[in-house]
Amino acid sequence: MLAHSPMGTRRPGHYDDDRTIAVIRRAVHITLSGLLLAAPIPLISFAATRSTITMGNADNQIVVQAGDTAPRVLRLTRSGVEDWIGAGDARLIDTAFVDGKTVALHWRFDPHHSRTGKNQASLVYVTRNPDLRLRWTWRARSPHGPVEHTILIENCSVYEIEIPLQDSLDFEWKTDVRQQLQQLWIAKGAGEAPPVGTHLVPVPDGYDWRGRSSTFAHPRAGPPREIIPYFLVRATGAKTGGWYAGVEFSGRIAMTLQRHDGELTGTVGLDPQPGPFRTRIAPHATFATPTIFVGASDGDLDDTGNTLRRWVRTVLNDPATLRDPHYPLVTNNSWGSATAIDEKQAKRMIDDASALGFEMFHLDAGWFRAVGDWRADPRKFPHGIAALADDAHQRGMKFGLWAAWSEAGDSAARGALSVADPRVHDWLTTDPPPNWKADAFKGITIDLAAPAAKAWAARETDRLVRDYHVDMLEHDGYVVAQGCDRDDHPHLPNDPAKTRRYRDDDFLWVDSSNSTDVSLHATRAYYAIQSELKRRHPGLLREICNDGGRMVDFGSAAHGDYFSIVDAYDPVSNRKAFYDASHVLPPAMLETYVMAVPAPRIENFRYMLRSGMLGWFTAMIDTSTWTREQHEAAAREIAFYKSTLRPLIREADLYHIDSRPDGKGWDGMEYFDDRRGAGVLYAFHGNDAEPGSYAFRLKGLRAGDRYKLHFRDGTSPDRTASGTELMHDGLTVSLPLADSSELVTIERVR
Ligand SMILES: [Zn+2]
C-alpha cells in the first residue's frame, strides 16, 4: 500500500476536509447499500449534492463526489488496499464558441438526472446559454479489471456549438514526497521494433512526461515513435502499489504525467497539439471524449498485465474469438514473395501449407490492379480471387486478403477509388498535385468521416468480403486521415496558415491545426465501418495493420480481431515486439510475421518458427521451398502449437521472466495456467558466445507443488522439480548452438 501525504496542494474547491468526507462517505455507503439491495434496478438517482459514491468491481473501486460545479475523484482503490487519493475537481471545459463568440460556461450539478449504482455512475452537469448537458460517467463492465470513464457533452440547443478540448481524464493524486515511483510505458512496434520498447523509468520530483499515440507516426510528420496509449505508475522499494490508465481510441491521443511536491498530476485524452483544438457539436448531437480505463494494481507488472490482458479479451474483443478454439489461427502469408505473388504460386502455397497444418492462407499485397482498384490483377490471378479462396476452403483452410481500402489512387478504371473521379475528389484529405501518380501501396487517404466516403468504404469492404469469399480482411495503408484541408467535412476547417503538406514519394498527407479533430471524426467513422462489416459477416476476422504496427491500441482492439505488431519480420524483431506489446495486450491478438532467414541447421529453423509462435503465428514463407527435414519439423511444431501452445496463449497467464530480447545472449517467456496446472517456457539462445546454459527463474507457480518438466527437443532429460526450485534457482536450459531454442512444458504433478 502506498503512503500518502495528507497535505496535498488543492485546487480551490468547496469540499470539506478529508475527515469530514470520510464520515460522509461512510454514512452514504450505508444508505446506498440498503437502497441498492432493495432496488429492483441497479441504478438509482441522486438525491442531493455532496453525496459520495463508490462504484467498481471486485478489483477496482472508484470513490467519486458530485460537487456543486464539478465532480471529483476522491479515491481509487484496489480491493480496499492500494489507495490513490484524489486532490482536485475534474476540469470541465469552461468556454464554448457560439456564432464565432466565446461564451463562458457555468456548470451546475443536476442531481435529478444523475444516476448511480454498484457498477456505474453518471453525474450530470448543465449550463444555460448555451444549453449543454455533461455526463461524467464511470462503469465497470466486468467483475474484474479496470473501470471505464467517458465524458459526454450534449448540445441541447437548436444551434451548432463549438467546444475546446475536454480531457478524458485529468488526475491529481497526493503522494508522499519520499515515496519512490516508477512509470511504465510501451512503444509501438511500428515499422521496426524500437531499440527500447518497454520503458520503466523513475518518477522523481520535477518529472514531466508526455506520450503520444495516433494512427500515423510518420518520421517526417512528428516523432516516429509513439506509445501504445497506456501507462502505469508504481511505487518501488519496500512499498508496492500502482495505478494505470489506457485509452480506447486510435485517433490522436496524448497522455501526460508530472510530479511536483509530491503531487502526481497529468491528463489523458485527445491530443491538444497541433492546436488550438476545437470541435463542433450539431444541435441535439453529443460529443464523447475517448473512453479511458483506469485501475489500481499491486505493482507487479505481470500480475497487473494478466488482469488487463484478460479484461481486453473479455470486454473489448469480439466474443466470437473467445469461443472459437482455433483462434489464433495458424496462418501462411504470401508477403515473403512481395508483389511477385501470382495465382500459380498462391495455389502451390495453399497445397503445401494445408498439408503442413496451416489453417488460413493470407493473400497479401500484390493481388490487385492498382491502389484504389481493389480487383484481381487479371494477368496474375486470371481466375479471380474468389476461385482462389474456394481452393483454400476445399483444403479446409480459411482465406484472408490484404487491402488498403481507404487509399485513393489514379486508376481510370470504372469502380476504382480514383482522384480523377469528381465524387472521390471531395473525399480526399488534400488535392493531388498535377500529374500525380499513386505508389504501389499508398495513394491519398480519403477522409472516412465524409458521409459519402464512409458509405463507399462500408460498401467496398462488404464487397471484398462477400465477392471474394474472404474469411479475414486485413487493412493497411493509413486508414485514418492524419489531417485534412477540406472545409466541407464534419471536422472544422483547417487554418491555412498552419497547414503543412507532406510528400513521401507519391504518398501525400496534410498536418494542420485541425488534425486532432480530423482524426476524431475519421476514427469514429472507421470504427463504424469495422463494426458494420462484422455485423454483416459475423464470422469474419479483421486484421489491424496500419503501415505495419502503428495502430496497436485499445480502440482497435475493440474494432479488430488481431494486430500486425511490427513491420520487420526477423526472429529478434518478432520477439522484441511481442515482449513489448504483450505487457498490455492479449498475446492471442499479437501477430508476428515470420520471414525466411538462413537456417543451416534444423535448430536454427525451429528458432525462426518459434520466435513467431509466442502469440498469433503467421509464416510469410512459401513453404514449398522448405526441405523435407524442414517440412517434418514445421508440421511437428504446428501440431504442437495447436495442441499445447495455443490453449496457453488463449488462456494462461503470461510472465516476462527475462530481459527484453536483443538477439545476443538468452531470453525467454513463460505461460502458466494455474487452473490447469500447465505451462510452457520458451527459451531462446541468441547469436553470441554466451555460455551454452542458462537458468530461467519461473513465476506463477506454487512453492510447495512439484512440476514435471519435459524438454521438447530433448536438450535435457525430463525431470520433476519443486515450485520453490523453479522460482528461486530457476529452470536450467542448455543450448550450445547459436540461434537455437527449446520449449519446456511445465505440468503440475497431482
Ligand atoms: Zn476531411
Side-chain angles (χ1 to χ4, degrees):
M1 174 167 170
L2 281 169
H4 299 282
S5 158
M7 303 169 291
T9 315
R10 295 205 149 158
R11 293 207 193 105
H14 49 269
Y15 294 95
D16 302 301
D17 69 44
D18 285 341
R19 229 172 335 172
T20 314
I21 288 170
V23 172
I24 292 171
R25 186 172 63 243
R26 218 168 295 132
V28 172
H29 274 186
I30 294 160
T31 315
L32 283 176
S33 330
L35 278 173
L36 285 170
L37 285 174
I41 50 166
L43 290 176
I44 58 163
S45 60
F46 250 74
T49 60
R50 293 209 183 183
S51 299
T52 304
I53 288 302
T54 300
M55 60 74 57
N57 56 25
D59 293 341
N60 287 289
Q61 298 83 45
I62 288 265
V63 183
V64 300
Q65 188 176 46
D68 295 335
T69 59
R72 83 191 310 203
V73 173
L74 294 180
R75 192 179 292 263
L76 168 64
T77 70
R78 177 176 175 273
S79 310
V81 182
E82 313 304 339
D83 236 353
W84 291 84
I85 310 292
D89 287 356
R91 272 197 296 258
L92 309 181
I93 51 168
D94 56 7
T95 53
F97 311 98
V98 183
D99 248 353
K101 294 190 188 72
T102 304
V103 185
L105 302 180
H106 303 283
W107 297 104
R108 299 297 304 171
F109 180 55
D110 176 357
H112 303 294
H113 291 96
S114 296
R115 296 286 183 274
T116 184
K118 194 176 162 201
N119 304 321
Q120 50 190 314
S122 173
L123 303 186
V124 175
Y125 288 78
V126 293
T127 67
R128 298 277 167 256
N129 299 318
D131 232 349
L132 297 175
R133 181 183 295 143
L134 182 146
R135 288 187 179 82
W136 193 75
T137 70
W138 293 87
R139 66 174 175 166
R141 281 199 276 170
S142 163
H144 294 281
V147 295
E148 294 170 290
H149 176 52
T150 312
I151 299 172
L152 303 161
I153 301 175
E154 182 185 356
N155 179 359
C156 304
S157 75
V158 293
Y159 41 84
E160 183 176 292
I161 292 172
E162 293 174 17
I163 57 166
L165 195 140
Q166 170 66 59
D167 286 319
S168 294
L169 176 76
D170 62 288
F171 57 89
E172 192 172 342
W173 304 119
K174 298 179 209 171
T175 62
D176 186 329
V177 287
R178 293 157 302 180
Q179 178 63 58
Q180 293 192 339
L181 297 173
Q182 269 184 339
Q183 185 192 13
L184 169 81
W185 81 89
I186 309 290
K188 291 177 183 170
E192 248 177 73
V196 180
T198 299
H199 298 257
L200 191 58
V201 300
V203 180
D205 195 55
Y207 188 75
D208 189 0
W209 172 87
R210 185 168 189 273
R212 295 173 59 178
S213 171
S214 75
T215 54
F216 210 75
H218 194 285
R220 287 178 49 204
R225 281 291 156 201
E226 292 193 334
I227 60 165
I228 296 175
Y230 168 95
F231 69 78
L232 175 145
V233 179
R234 65 170 186 172
T236 58
K239 298 187 185 301
T240 60
W243 76 284
Y244 58 88
V247 189
E248 299 168 34
F249 201 65
S250 310
R252 295 173 66 94
I253 291 296
M255 306 178 88
T256 66
L257 179 70
Q258 299 93 32
R259 192 176 190 196
H260 190 64
D261 288 343
E263 292 241 324
L264 200 62
T265 59
T267 56
V268 179
L270 290 169
D271 191 346
Q273 294 175 5
F277 172 87
R278 275 198 202 182
T279 194
R280 50 163 67 116
I281 318 179
H284 307 299
T286 299
F287 162 85
T289 57
T291 296
I292 61 146
F293 58 82
V294 299
S297 85
D298 68 0
D300 181 284
L301 299 187
D302 274 322
D303 289 345
T304 306
N306 285 323
T307 303
L308 180 61
R309 292 184 277 265
R310 200 156 279 129
W311 180 82
V312 172
R313 287 287 284 138
T314 54
V315 173
L316 299 185
N317 282 180
D318 179 359
T321 67
L322 276 180
R323 293 191 297 267
D324 178 5
H326 297 293
Y327 175 96
L329 299 172
V330 179
T331 303
N332 186 217
N333 169 285
S334 65
W335 191 236
S337 303
T339 55
I341 188 71
D342 63 11
E343 184 176 288
K344 196 174 154 206
Q345 188 189 9
K347 290 183 78 142
R348 188 175 70 225
M349 288 179 72
I350 289 169
D351 277 347
D352 203 71
S354 65
L356 285 167
F358 281 93
E359 297 165 304
M360 178 156 72
F361 179 71
H362 175 186
L363 183 58
D364 212 298
W367 62 271
F368 49 90
R369 297 183 187 188
V371 167
D373 190 356
W374 308 113
R375 293 174 298 170
D377 181 337
R379 292 162 304 164
K380 295 165 82 180
F381 292 87
H383 295 91
I385 302 305
L388 189 66
D390 294 347
D391 194 53
H393 293 153
Q394 278 160 18
R395 279 157 182 75
M397 295 172 83
K398 290 190 182 293
F399 181 78
L401 190 67
W402 179 102
W405 47 258
S406 67
E407 299 290 319
D410 56 89
S411 167
R414 197 177 147 80
L417 187 69
S418 173
V419 299
D421 179 340
R423 198 180 46 133
V424 175
H425 192 268
D426 289 341
W427 310 340
L428 300 176
T429 45
T430 191
D431 282 343
N435 304 317
W436 172 82
K437 297 269 180 228
D439 79 10
F441 315 108
K442 284 179 277 193
I444 301 176
T445 304
I446 56 170
D447 186 348
L448 295 172
K454 181 178 165 188
W456 176 88
R459 283 195 306 276
E460 181 68 353
T461 49
D462 178 57
R463 180 190 71 82
L464 287 166
V465 172
R466 197 185 54 239
D467 288 5
Y468 298 155
H469 306 175
V470 164
D471 305 295
M472 186 284 284
L473 186 65
E474 173 199 8
H475 72 63
D476 200 355
Y478 286 104
V479 72
V480 169
Q482 158 77 353
C484 182
D485 60 18
R486 303 276 152 177
D487 54 14
D488 56 352
H489 288 174
H491 55 77
L492 284 168
N494 67 321
D495 177 349
K498 292 182 180 170
T499 303
R500 298 182 67 189
R501 290 181 181 77
Y502 294 89
R503 185 169 182 160
D504 181 11
D505 294 331
D506 290 312
F507 179 51
L508 299 174
W509 75 95
V510 176
D511 206 354
S512 180
S513 57
N514 67 347
S515 287
T516 297
D517 193 33
V518 171
S519 88
L520 170 68
H521 286 87
T523 300
R524 300 251 194 247
Y526 158 74
Y527 288 167
I529 293 162
Q530 290 280 85
S531 298
E532 172 66 8
L533 191 60
K534 192 74 155 192
R535 195 189 62 74
R536 289 191 192 194
H537 307 278
L540 181 76
L541 290 165
R542 299 155 302 175
E543 177 181 342
I544 308 289
C545 179
N546 192 81
D547 200 21
R550 288 180 164 80
M551 214 165 156
V552 180
D553 65 69
F554 300 94
S556 37
H559 296 92
D561 300 298
Y562 64 107
F563 300 107
S564 163
I565 56 170
V566 63
D567 219 9
Y569 324 111
D570 59 279
V572 179
S573 295
N574 282 340
R575 299 208 303 281
K576 280 180 178 172
F578 181 85
Y579 179 91
D580 297 334
S582 65
H583 277 98
V584 293
L585 284 159
M589 294 193 80
L590 304 180
E591 178 194 34
T592 43
Y593 285 78
V594 171
M595 68 184 278
V597 294
R601 301 180 62 127
I602 204 66
E603 288 88 346
N604 309 133
F605 180 79
R606 282 197 298 258
Y607 167 86
M608 172 191 84
L609 293 183
R610 289 169 179 169
S611 294
M613 285 185 163
L614 289 150
W616 181 300
F617 170 61
T618 290
M620 45 176 259
I621 300 173
D622 181 345
T623 60
S624 69
T625 61
W626 283 344
T627 64
R628 188 170 166 180
E629 185 191 26
Q630 289 172 335
H631 267 99
E632 283 167 4
R636 200 169 161 268
E637 292 309 301
I638 288 169
F640 186 69
Y641 179 91
K642 291 182 191 169
S643 69
T644 306
L645 300 179
R646 180 159 63 192
L648 294 169
I649 291 166
R650 287 171 56 87
E651 312 263 340
D653 285 333
L654 176 69
Y655 297 100
H656 295 73
I657 50 169
D658 210 70
S659 53
R660 188 177 187 252
D662 61 5
K664 303 163 184 167
W666 289 77
D667 59 86
M669 292 288 263
E670 177 199 349
Y671 282 104
F672 195 78
D673 184 343
D674 187 62
R675 289 170 311 144
R676 288 171 47 212
V680 68
L681 165 71
Y682 290 69
F684 297 98
H685 184 207
N687 61 9
D688 78 347
E690 286 217 2
S693 67
Y694 185 81
F696 292 95
R697 280 192 192 153
L698 303 187
K699 286 169 134 185
L701 307 180
R702 298 179 193 177
D705 284 354
R706 292 195 67 77
Y707 296 87
K708 187 180 163 202
L709 307 174
H710 169 62
F711 295 77
R712 184 164 157 68
D713 298 343
T715 56
S716 291
D718 292 358
R719 65 188 183 95
T720 59
S722 72
T724 305
E725 180 197 329
L726 294 172
M727 291 192 289
H728 289 96
D729 304 333
L731 193 171
T732 300
V733 178
S734 299
L735 292 172
L737 285 176
D739 295 338
S740 64
S741 63
E742 177 62 289
L743 296 170
V744 187
T745 56
I746 307 150
E747 195 185 333
R748 193 159 56 220
V749 180
R750 292 281 169 200

